[in-house]
Amino acid sequence: MSERAAPFFCPYCGDEDLRPNEQGHGAWECAACSRAFQLKFLGLLAPGTPNNTTGREGI
Ligand SMILES: [Zn+2]
């Protein structure tokens, strides 16, 4: 995967009208609710996580 993660929905209002923010990498802004937020990669899960078969949820 790339170093950037693109959200599909605004985590605050659920709208899909997201656009990159000028704040930096991983920063997005929602045109619907005018909120700006930033995604942060926390790290990889430890191998053997019990519920890793539920699929990939995106963020
Ligand atoms: Zn929003």
Side-chain angles (χ1 to χ4, degrees):
M1 297 298 288
S2 65
E3 67 271 21
R4 292 190 183 186
F8 296 105
F9 302 99
C10 172
Y12 299 98
C13 73
D15 202 274
E16 302 177 35
D17 194 3
L18 302 177
R19 59 193 64 181
N21 187 271
E22 299 175 354
Q23 294 287 330
H25 296 299
W28 295 82
E29 57 189 36
C30 175
C33 67
S34 299
R35 285 185 172 94
F37 54 94
Q38 191 165 19
L39 298 179
K40 183 179 179 182
F41 177 68
L42 297 177
L44 297 175
L45 297 176
T49 304
N51 57 355
N52 61 356
T53 58
T54 55
R56 297 175 182 175
E57 298 284 340
I59 53 178

